[in-house]
Amino acid sequence: GMNMKEKIAKLIDLKSIITLSLVITLEILIVKGNKLDSDLFLLFSNIITMVITYFFTKKSVKEGE
């Protein structure tokens, strides 16, 4: 039990770090937005949306089992 909980905790920490770093990067891009290509911004925001959706979907599936 304990070992599995530690693995899950590490996984959640990693997800949080990745999600936070993506959001921070997006905020930096927004602040410097006038230098940014709109197509590139759209691509990046789509990637963030996919990553976050994937994490939350995975989490829901795991909890549902």
Side-chain angles (χ1 to χ4, degrees), residues 16-50:
S16 301
I17 291 164
I18 293 170
T19 307
L20 276 174
S21 59
L22 282 170
V23 169
I24 290 166
T25 307
L26 182 63
E27 286 173 1
I28 292 167
L29 289 175
I30 290 168
V31 169
K32 299 181 178 181
N34 50 357
K35 298 175 187 172
L36 192 68
D37 183 19
S38 61
D39 290 340
L40 189 66
F41 174 79
L42 194 64
L43 178 69
F44 196 79
S45 57
N46 283 343
I47 291 168
I48 292 175
T49 306
M50 284 189 290

PDB file of all heavy atoms in Angstrom, residues 16-50:
ATOM      1  N   SER A  16       1.969  18.061 -11.715  1.00  0.00           N
ATOM      2  CA  SER A  16       1.822  19.435 -11.249  1.00  0.00           C
ATOM      3  C   SER A  16       2.955  20.310 -11.763  1.00  0.00           C
ATOM      4  O   SER A  16       2.733  21.424 -12.225  1.00  0.00           O
ATOM      5  CB  SER A  16       1.793  19.473  -9.715  1.00  0.00           C
ATOM      6  OG  SER A  16       0.731  18.696  -9.241  1.00  0.00           O
ATOM      7  N   ILE A  17       4.183  19.785 -11.702  1.00  0.00           N
ATOM      8  CA  ILE A  17       5.357  20.527 -12.173  1.00  0.00           C
ATOM      9  C   ILE A  17       5.245  20.807 -13.665  1.00  0.00           C
ATOM     10  O   ILE A  17       5.455  21.940 -14.110  1.00  0.00           O
ATOM     11  CB  ILE A  17       6.649  19.749 -11.842  1.00  0.00           C
ATOM     12  CG1 ILE A  17       6.890  19.749 -10.327  1.00  0.00           C
ATOM     13  CG2 ILE A  17       7.856  20.372 -12.562  1.00  0.00           C
ATOM     14  CD1 ILE A  17       7.896  18.714  -9.871  1.00  0.00           C
ATOM     15  N   ILE A  18       4.888  19.789 -14.441  1.00  0.00           N
ATOM     16  CA  ILE A  18       4.754  19.953 -15.896  1.00  0.00           C
ATOM     17  C   ILE A  18       3.653  20.955 -16.218  1.00  0.00           C
ATOM     18  O   ILE A  18       3.841  21.874 -17.020  1.00  0.00           O
ATOM     19  CB  ILE A  18       4.469  18.587 -16.573  1.00  0.00           C
ATOM     20  CG1 ILE A  18       5.695  17.671 -16.445  1.00  0.00           C
ATOM     21  CG2 ILE A  18       4.108  18.791 -18.057  1.00  0.00           C
ATOM     22  CD1 ILE A  18       5.429  16.246 -16.854  1.00  0.00           C
ATOM     23  N   THR A  19       2.508  20.804 -15.554  1.00  0.00           N
ATOM     24  CA  THR A  19       1.381  21.702 -15.802  1.00  0.00           C
ATOM     25  C   THR A  19       1.733  23.138 -15.434  1.00  0.00           C
ATOM     26  O   THR A  19       1.486  24.062 -16.206  1.00  0.00           O
ATOM     27  CB  THR A  19       0.134  21.235 -15.023  1.00  0.00           C
ATOM     28  OG1 THR A  19      -0.121  19.869 -15.326  1.00  0.00           O
ATOM     29  CG2 THR A  19      -1.086  22.060 -15.388  1.00  0.00           C
ATOM     30  N   LEU A  20       2.340  23.317 -14.263  1.00  0.00           N
ATOM     31  CA  LEU A  20       2.734  24.659 -13.825  1.00  0.00           C
ATOM     32  C   LEU A  20       3.736  25.289 -14.786  1.00  0.00           C
ATOM     33  O   LEU A  20       3.595  26.454 -15.152  1.00  0.00           O
ATOM     34  CB  LEU A  20       3.341  24.606 -12.415  1.00  0.00           C
ATOM     35  CG  LEU A  20       2.347  24.634 -11.260  1.00  0.00           C
ATOM     36  CD1 LEU A  20       3.069  24.417  -9.945  1.00  0.00           C
ATOM     37  CD2 LEU A  20       1.589  25.958 -11.223  1.00  0.00           C
ATOM     38  N   SER A  21       4.737  24.507 -15.202  1.00  0.00           N
ATOM     39  CA  SER A  21       5.747  25.052 -16.107  1.00  0.00           C
ATOM     40  C   SER A  21       5.137  25.447 -17.449  1.00  0.00           C
ATOM     41  O   SER A  21       5.496  26.482 -18.017  1.00  0.00           O
ATOM     42  CB  SER A  21       6.900  24.067 -16.301  1.00  0.00           C
ATOM     43  OG  SER A  21       6.434  22.858 -16.823  1.00  0.00           O
ATOM     44  N   LEU A  22       4.189  24.662 -17.939  1.00  0.00           N
ATOM     45  CA  LEU A  22       3.491  25.002 -19.184  1.00  0.00           C
ATOM     46  C   LEU A  22       2.681  26.284 -19.029  1.00  0.00           C
ATOM     47  O   LEU A  22       2.703  27.150 -19.896  1.00  0.00           O
ATOM     48  CB  LEU A  22       2.561  23.857 -19.606  1.00  0.00           C
ATOM     49  CG  LEU A  22       3.233  22.664 -20.280  1.00  0.00           C
ATOM     50  CD1 LEU A  22       2.247  21.516 -20.425  1.00  0.00           C
ATOM     51  CD2 LEU A  22       3.780  23.035 -21.642  1.00  0.00           C
ATOM     52  N   VAL A  23       1.956  26.391 -17.909  1.00  0.00           N
ATOM     53  CA  VAL A  23       1.131  27.581 -17.662  1.00  0.00           C
ATOM     54  C   VAL A  23       2.013  28.821 -17.525  1.00  0.00           C
ATOM     55  O   VAL A  23       1.713  29.873 -18.100  1.00  0.00           O
ATOM     56  CB  VAL A  23       0.238  27.382 -16.412  1.00  0.00           C
ATOM     57  CG1 VAL A  23      -0.423  28.692 -15.996  1.00  0.00           C
ATOM     58  CG2 VAL A  23      -0.817  26.324 -16.695  1.00  0.00           C
ATOM     59  N   ILE A  24       3.111  28.692 -16.786  1.00  0.00           N
ATOM     60  CA  ILE A  24       4.045  29.811 -16.619  1.00  0.00           C
ATOM     61  C   ILE A  24       4.622  30.230 -17.972  1.00  0.00           C
ATOM     62  O   ILE A  24       4.688  31.420 -18.287  1.00  0.00           O
ATOM     63  CB  ILE A  24       5.159  29.435 -15.618  1.00  0.00           C
ATOM     64  CG1 ILE A  24       4.579  29.351 -14.203  1.00  0.00           C
ATOM     65  CG2 ILE A  24       6.295  30.471 -15.664  1.00  0.00           C
ATOM     66  CD1 ILE A  24       5.501  28.671 -13.209  1.00  0.00           C
ATOM     67  N   THR A  25       5.014  29.245 -18.781  1.00  0.00           N
ATOM     68  CA  THR A  25       5.540  29.541 -20.114  1.00  0.00           C
ATOM     69  C   THR A  25       4.486  30.264 -20.956  1.00  0.00           C
ATOM     70  O   THR A  25       4.793  31.245 -21.635  1.00  0.00           O
ATOM     71  CB  THR A  25       5.971  28.245 -20.826  1.00  0.00           C
ATOM     72  OG1 THR A  25       6.873  27.536 -19.977  1.00  0.00           O
ATOM     73  CG2 THR A  25       6.678  28.552 -22.134  1.00  0.00           C
ATOM     74  N   LEU A  26       3.245  29.799 -20.866  1.00  0.00           N
ATOM     75  CA  LEU A  26       2.159  30.439 -21.610  1.00  0.00           C
ATOM     76  C   LEU A  26       1.974  31.890 -21.157  1.00  0.00           C
ATOM     77  O   LEU A  26       1.801  32.786 -21.980  1.00  0.00           O
ATOM     78  CB  LEU A  26       0.852  29.651 -21.412  1.00  0.00           C
ATOM     79  CG  LEU A  26      -0.359  30.183 -22.186  1.00  0.00           C
ATOM     80  CD1 LEU A  26      -0.124  30.088 -23.685  1.00  0.00           C
ATOM     81  CD2 LEU A  26      -1.606  29.401 -21.816  1.00  0.00           C
ATOM     82  N   GLU A  27       2.035  32.117 -19.834  1.00  0.00           N
ATOM     83  CA  GLU A  27       1.885  33.480 -19.305  1.00  0.00           C
ATOM     84  C   GLU A  27       3.012  34.387 -19.794  1.00  0.00           C
ATOM     85  O   GLU A  27       2.775  35.538 -20.163  1.00  0.00           O
ATOM     86  CB  GLU A  27       1.852  33.450 -17.774  1.00  0.00           C
ATOM     87  CG  GLU A  27       0.532  32.909 -17.259  1.00  0.00           C
ATOM     88  CD  GLU A  27       0.513  32.691 -15.759  1.00  0.00           C
ATOM     89  OE1 GLU A  27       1.533  32.978 -15.088  1.00  0.00           O
ATOM     90  OE2 GLU A  27      -0.527  32.254 -15.243  1.00  0.00           O
ATOM     91  N   ILE A  28       4.234  33.857 -19.806  1.00  0.00           N
ATOM     92  CA  ILE A  28       5.379  34.622 -20.324  1.00  0.00           C
ATOM     93  C   ILE A  28       5.151  34.971 -21.793  1.00  0.00           C
ATOM     94  O   ILE A  28       5.398  36.103 -22.224  1.00  0.00           O
ATOM     95  CB  ILE A  28       6.690  33.830 -20.130  1.00  0.00           C
ATOM     96  CG1 ILE A  28       7.029  33.731 -18.630  1.00  0.00           C
ATOM     97  CG2 ILE A  28       7.848  34.503 -20.886  1.00  0.00           C
ATOM     98  CD1 ILE A  28       8.120  32.725 -18.322  1.00  0.00           C
ATOM     99  N   LEU A  29       4.650  33.988 -22.568  1.00  0.00           N
ATOM    100  CA  LEU A  29       4.370  34.227 -23.984  1.00  0.00           C
ATOM    101  C   LEU A  29       3.280  35.284 -24.174  1.00  0.00           C
ATOM    102  O   LEU A  29       3.355  36.106 -25.082  1.00  0.00           O
ATOM    103  CB  LEU A  29       3.949  32.922 -24.670  1.00  0.00           C
ATOM    104  CG  LEU A  29       5.063  31.888 -24.875  1.00  0.00           C
ATOM    105  CD1 LEU A  29       4.490  30.607 -25.451  1.00  0.00           C
ATOM    106  CD2 LEU A  29       6.156  32.423 -25.790  1.00  0.00           C
ATOM    107  N   ILE A  30       2.277  35.266 -23.287  1.00  0.00           N
ATOM    108  CA  ILE A  30       1.204  36.265 -23.370  1.00  0.00           C
ATOM    109  C   ILE A  30       1.758  37.661 -23.081  1.00  0.00           C
ATOM    110  O   ILE A  30       1.447  38.627 -23.778  1.00  0.00           O
ATOM    111  CB  ILE A  30       0.057  35.911 -22.393  1.00  0.00           C
ATOM    112  CG1 ILE A  30      -0.683  34.657 -22.891  1.00  0.00           C
ATOM    113  CG2 ILE A  30      -0.930  37.079 -22.251  1.00  0.00           C
ATOM    114  CD1 ILE A  30      -1.630  34.060 -21.880  1.00  0.00           C
ATOM    115  N   VAL A  31       2.606  37.760 -22.047  1.00  0.00           N
ATOM    116  CA  VAL A  31       3.200  39.050 -21.678  1.00  0.00           C
ATOM    117  C   VAL A  31       4.036  39.609 -22.822  1.00  0.00           C
ATOM    118  O   VAL A  31       4.002  40.804 -23.116  1.00  0.00           O
ATOM    119  CB  VAL A  31       4.050  38.910 -20.388  1.00  0.00           C
ATOM    120  CG1 VAL A  31       4.879  40.168 -20.138  1.00  0.00           C
ATOM    121  CG2 VAL A  31       3.139  38.630 -19.193  1.00  0.00           C
ATOM    122  N   LYS A  32       4.778  38.722 -23.505  1.00  0.00           N
ATOM    123  CA  LYS A  32       5.599  39.140 -24.640  1.00  0.00           C
ATOM    124  C   LYS A  32       4.852  38.902 -25.960  1.00  0.00           C
ATOM    125  O   LYS A  32       5.466  38.696 -26.994  1.00  0.00           O
ATOM    126  CB  LYS A  32       6.916  38.347 -24.642  1.00  0.00           C
ATOM    127  CG  LYS A  32       7.738  38.596 -23.386  1.00  0.00           C
ATOM    128  CD  LYS A  32       9.031  37.817 -23.423  1.00  0.00           C
ATOM    129  CE  LYS A  32       9.873  38.117 -22.198  1.00  0.00           C
ATOM    130  NZ  LYS A  32      11.165  37.400 -22.207  1.00  0.00           N
ATOM    131  N   GLY A  33       3.530  38.924 -25.884  1.00  0.00           N
ATOM    132  CA  GLY A  33       2.663  38.495 -26.984  1.00  0.00           C
ATOM    133  C   GLY A  33       2.871  39.213 -28.295  1.00  0.00           C
ATOM    134  O   GLY A  33       2.737  38.617 -29.352  1.00  0.00           O
ATOM    135  N   ASN A  34       3.218  40.503 -28.235  1.00  0.00           N
ATOM    136  CA  ASN A  34       3.363  41.268 -29.480  1.00  0.00           C
ATOM    137  C   ASN A  34       4.536  40.790 -30.330  1.00  0.00           C
ATOM    138  O   ASN A  34       4.589  41.041 -31.522  1.00  0.00           O
ATOM    139  CB  ASN A  34       3.488  42.776 -29.190  1.00  0.00           C
ATOM    140  CG  ASN A  34       4.543  43.074 -28.132  1.00  0.00           C
ATOM    141  OD1 ASN A  34       5.159  42.161 -27.562  1.00  0.00           O
ATOM    142  ND2 ASN A  34       4.753  44.349 -27.852  1.00  0.00           N
ATOM    143  N   LYS A  35       5.468  40.049 -29.723  1.00  0.00           N
ATOM    144  CA  LYS A  35       6.602  39.497 -30.474  1.00  0.00           C
ATOM    145  C   LYS A  35       6.298  38.092 -30.995  1.00  0.00           C
ATOM    146  O   LYS A  35       7.105  37.515 -31.705  1.00  0.00           O
ATOM    147  CB  LYS A  35       7.849  39.437 -29.584  1.00  0.00           C
ATOM    148  CG  LYS A  35       8.313  40.788 -29.101  1.00  0.00           C
ATOM    149  CD  LYS A  35       9.477  40.632 -28.137  1.00  0.00           C
ATOM    150  CE  LYS A  35       9.846  41.954 -27.511  1.00  0.00           C
ATOM    151  NZ  LYS A  35      10.849  41.789 -26.442  1.00  0.00           N
ATOM    152  N   LEU A  36       5.161  37.555 -30.584  1.00  0.00           N
ATOM    153  CA  LEU A  36       4.877  36.140 -30.849  1.00  0.00           C
ATOM    154  C   LEU A  36       3.977  35.969 -32.076  1.00  0.00           C
ATOM    155  O   LEU A  36       3.008  36.711 -32.255  1.00  0.00           O
ATOM    156  CB  LEU A  36       4.193  35.540 -29.612  1.00  0.00           C
ATOM    157  CG  LEU A  36       4.083  34.021 -29.577  1.00  0.00           C
ATOM    158  CD1 LEU A  36       5.456  33.367 -29.424  1.00  0.00           C
ATOM    159  CD2 LEU A  36       3.197  33.592 -28.422  1.00  0.00           C
ATOM    160  N   ASP A  37       4.299  34.978 -32.888  1.00  0.00           N
ATOM    161  CA  ASP A  37       3.467  34.615 -34.030  1.00  0.00           C
ATOM    162  C   ASP A  37       2.162  34.005 -33.522  1.00  0.00           C
ATOM    163  O   ASP A  37       2.178  33.119 -32.662  1.00  0.00           O
ATOM    164  CB  ASP A  37       4.231  33.605 -34.898  1.00  0.00           C
ATOM    165  CG  ASP A  37       3.462  33.220 -36.145  1.00  0.00           C
ATOM    166  OD1 ASP A  37       2.538  33.976 -36.524  1.00  0.00           O
ATOM    167  OD2 ASP A  37       3.774  32.179 -36.726  1.00  0.00           O
ATOM    168  N   SER A  38       1.034  34.461 -34.027  1.00  0.00           N
ATOM    169  CA  SER A  38      -0.263  33.990 -33.540  1.00  0.00           C
ATOM    170  C   SER A  38      -0.466  32.498 -33.780  1.00  0.00           C
ATOM    171  O   SER A  38      -1.085  31.814 -32.964  1.00  0.00           O
ATOM    172  CB  SER A  38      -1.398  34.791 -34.180  1.00  0.00           C
ATOM    173  OG  SER A  38      -1.366  34.627 -35.574  1.00  0.00           O
ATOM    174  N   ASP A  39       0.067  31.973 -34.888  1.00  0.00           N
ATOM    175  CA  ASP A  39      -0.027  30.538 -35.171  1.00  0.00           C
ATOM    176  C   ASP A  39       0.744  29.730 -34.136  1.00  0.00           C
ATOM    177  O   ASP A  39       0.280  28.689 -33.662  1.00  0.00           O
ATOM    178  CB  ASP A  39       0.512  30.210 -36.564  1.00  0.00           C
ATOM    179  CG  ASP A  39      -0.399  30.730 -37.673  1.00  0.00           C
ATOM    180  OD1 ASP A  39      -1.592  30.979 -37.381  1.00  0.00           O
ATOM    181  OD2 ASP A  39       0.085  30.890 -38.803  1.00  0.00           O
ATOM    182  N   LEU A  40       1.918  30.225 -33.762  1.00  0.00           N
ATOM    183  CA  LEU A  40       2.742  29.562 -32.753  1.00  0.00           C
ATOM    184  C   LEU A  40       2.041  29.561 -31.401  1.00  0.00           C
ATOM    185  O   LEU A  40       2.011  28.562 -30.697  1.00  0.00           O
ATOM    186  CB  LEU A  40       4.098  30.267 -32.648  1.00  0.00           C
ATOM    187  CG  LEU A  40       5.154  29.581 -31.790  1.00  0.00           C
ATOM    188  CD1 LEU A  40       5.575  28.257 -32.414  1.00  0.00           C
ATOM    189  CD2 LEU A  40       6.373  30.484 -31.643  1.00  0.00           C
ATOM    190  N   PHE A  41       1.438  30.708 -31.067  1.00  0.00           N
ATOM    191  CA  PHE A  41       0.691  30.817 -29.813  1.00  0.00           C
ATOM    192  C   PHE A  41      -0.478  29.833 -29.786  1.00  0.00           C
ATOM    193  O   PHE A  41      -0.698  29.158 -28.786  1.00  0.00           O
ATOM    194  CB  PHE A  41       0.175  32.250 -29.626  1.00  0.00           C
ATOM    195  CG  PHE A  41      -0.724  32.391 -28.424  1.00  0.00           C
ATOM    196  CD1 PHE A  41      -0.182  32.485 -27.156  1.00  0.00           C
ATOM    197  CD2 PHE A  41      -2.102  32.414 -28.572  1.00  0.00           C
ATOM    198  CE1 PHE A  41      -1.006  32.601 -26.046  1.00  0.00           C
ATOM    199  CE2 PHE A  41      -2.922  32.533 -27.469  1.00  0.00           C
ATOM    200  CZ  PHE A  41      -2.382  32.631 -26.204  1.00  0.00           C
ATOM    201  N   LEU A  42      -1.188  29.751 -30.893  1.00  0.00           N
ATOM    202  CA  LEU A  42      -2.329  28.841 -30.996  1.00  0.00           C
ATOM    203  C   LEU A  42      -1.872  27.396 -30.809  1.00  0.00           C
ATOM    204  O   LEU A  42      -2.479  26.630 -30.053  1.00  0.00           O
ATOM    205  CB  LEU A  42      -3.002  29.012 -32.361  1.00  0.00           C
ATOM    206  CG  LEU A  42      -4.393  28.389 -32.515  1.00  0.00           C
ATOM    207  CD1 LEU A  42      -5.389  29.050 -31.571  1.00  0.00           C
ATOM    208  CD2 LEU A  42      -4.863  28.525 -33.955  1.00  0.00           C
ATOM    209  N   LEU A  43      -0.775  27.030 -31.461  1.00  0.00           N
ATOM    210  CA  LEU A  43      -0.213  25.690 -31.325  1.00  0.00           C
ATOM    211  C   LEU A  43       0.146  25.397 -29.874  1.00  0.00           C
ATOM    212  O   LEU A  43      -0.197  24.351 -29.335  1.00  0.00           O
ATOM    213  CB  LEU A  43       1.031  25.558 -32.220  1.00  0.00           C
ATOM    214  CG  LEU A  43       1.772  24.219 -32.149  1.00  0.00           C
ATOM    215  CD1 LEU A  43       0.921  23.116 -32.759  1.00  0.00           C
ATOM    216  CD2 LEU A  43       3.111  24.310 -32.865  1.00  0.00           C
ATOM    217  N   PHE A  44       0.827  26.349 -29.242  1.00  0.00           N
ATOM    218  CA  PHE A  44       1.286  26.151 -27.865  1.00  0.00           C
ATOM    219  C   PHE A  44       0.113  26.019 -26.898  1.00  0.00           C
ATOM    220  O   PHE A  44       0.099  25.134 -26.047  1.00  0.00           O
ATOM    221  CB  PHE A  44       2.201  27.309 -27.445  1.00  0.00           C
ATOM    222  CG  PHE A  44       3.005  26.998 -26.213  1.00  0.00           C
ATOM    223  CD1 PHE A  44       4.141  26.222 -26.298  1.00  0.00           C
ATOM    224  CD2 PHE A  44       2.610  27.478 -24.967  1.00  0.00           C
ATOM    225  CE1 PHE A  44       4.885  25.922 -25.165  1.00  0.00           C
ATOM    226  CE2 PHE A  44       3.340  27.183 -23.834  1.00  0.00           C
ATOM    227  CZ  PHE A  44       4.484  26.406 -23.937  1.00  0.00           C
ATOM    228  N   SER A  45      -0.894  26.889 -27.041  1.00  0.00           N
ATOM    229  CA  SER A  45      -2.062  26.819 -26.163  1.00  0.00           C
ATOM    230  C   SER A  45      -2.841  25.517 -26.371  1.00  0.00           C
ATOM    231  O   SER A  45      -3.369  24.946 -25.426  1.00  0.00           O
ATOM    232  CB  SER A  45      -2.968  28.033 -26.358  1.00  0.00           C
ATOM    233  OG  SER A  45      -3.375  28.134 -27.696  1.00  0.00           O
ATOM    234  N   ASN A  46      -2.871  25.029 -27.620  1.00  0.00           N
ATOM    235  CA  ASN A  46      -3.511  23.737 -27.895  1.00  0.00           C
ATOM    236  C   ASN A  46      -2.770  22.593 -27.222  1.00  0.00           C
ATOM    237  O   ASN A  46      -3.387  21.677 -26.675  1.00  0.00           O
ATOM    238  CB  ASN A  46      -3.588  23.479 -29.399  1.00  0.00           C
ATOM    239  CG  ASN A  46      -4.698  24.259 -30.069  1.00  0.00           C
ATOM    240  OD1 ASN A  46      -5.605  24.758 -29.409  1.00  0.00           O
ATOM    241  ND2 ASN A  46      -4.616  24.390 -31.371  1.00  0.00           N
ATOM    242  N   ILE A  47      -1.430  22.642 -27.263  1.00  0.00           N
ATOM    243  CA  ILE A  47      -0.621  21.615 -26.605  1.00  0.00           C
ATOM    244  C   ILE A  47      -0.896  21.608 -25.107  1.00  0.00           C
ATOM    245  O   ILE A  47      -1.107  20.550 -24.512  1.00  0.00           O
ATOM    246  CB  ILE A  47       0.882  21.831 -26.900  1.00  0.00           C
ATOM    247  CG1 ILE A  47       1.178  21.534 -28.380  1.00  0.00           C
ATOM    248  CG2 ILE A  47       1.745  20.951 -25.985  1.00  0.00           C
ATOM    249  CD1 ILE A  47       2.545  21.990 -28.833  1.00  0.00           C
ATOM    250  N   ILE A  48      -0.926  22.788 -24.479  1.00  0.00           N
ATOM    251  CA  ILE A  48      -1.205  22.883 -23.048  1.00  0.00           C
ATOM    252  C   ILE A  48      -2.579  22.292 -22.735  1.00  0.00           C
ATOM    253  O   ILE A  48      -2.734  21.519 -21.791  1.00  0.00           O
ATOM    254  CB  ILE A  48      -1.124  24.349 -22.569  1.00  0.00           C
ATOM    255  CG1 ILE A  48       0.324  24.832 -22.638  1.00  0.00           C
ATOM    256  CG2 ILE A  48      -1.668  24.484 -21.151  1.00  0.00           C
ATOM    257  CD1 ILE A  48       0.489  26.284 -22.304  1.00  0.00           C
ATOM    258  N   THR A  49      -3.571  22.646 -23.547  1.00  0.00           N
ATOM    259  CA  THR A  49      -4.920  22.126 -23.340  1.00  0.00           C
ATOM    260  C   THR A  49      -4.940  20.604 -23.426  1.00  0.00           C
ATOM    261  O   THR A  49      -5.544  19.936 -22.589  1.00  0.00           O
ATOM    262  CB  THR A  49      -5.889  22.723 -24.383  1.00  0.00           C
ATOM    263  OG1 THR A  49      -5.799  24.146 -24.329  1.00  0.00           O
ATOM    264  CG2 THR A  49      -7.318  22.301 -24.108  1.00  0.00           C
ATOM    265  N   MET A  50      -4.234  20.054 -24.422  1.00  0.00           N
ATOM    266  CA  MET A  50      -4.179  18.597 -24.579  1.00  0.00           C
ATOM    267  C   MET A  50      -3.502  17.936 -23.384  1.00  0.00           C
ATOM    268  O   MET A  50      -3.981  16.919 -22.888  1.00  0.00           O
ATOM    269  CB  MET A  50      -3.432  18.225 -25.867  1.00  0.00           C
ATOM    270  CG  MET A  50      -4.260  18.430 -27.112  1.00  0.00           C
ATOM    271  SD  MET A  50      -3.470  17.735 -28.583  1.00  0.00           S
ATOM    272  CE  MET A  50      -2.087  18.849 -28.819  1.00  0.00           C
TER     273      MET A  50
END
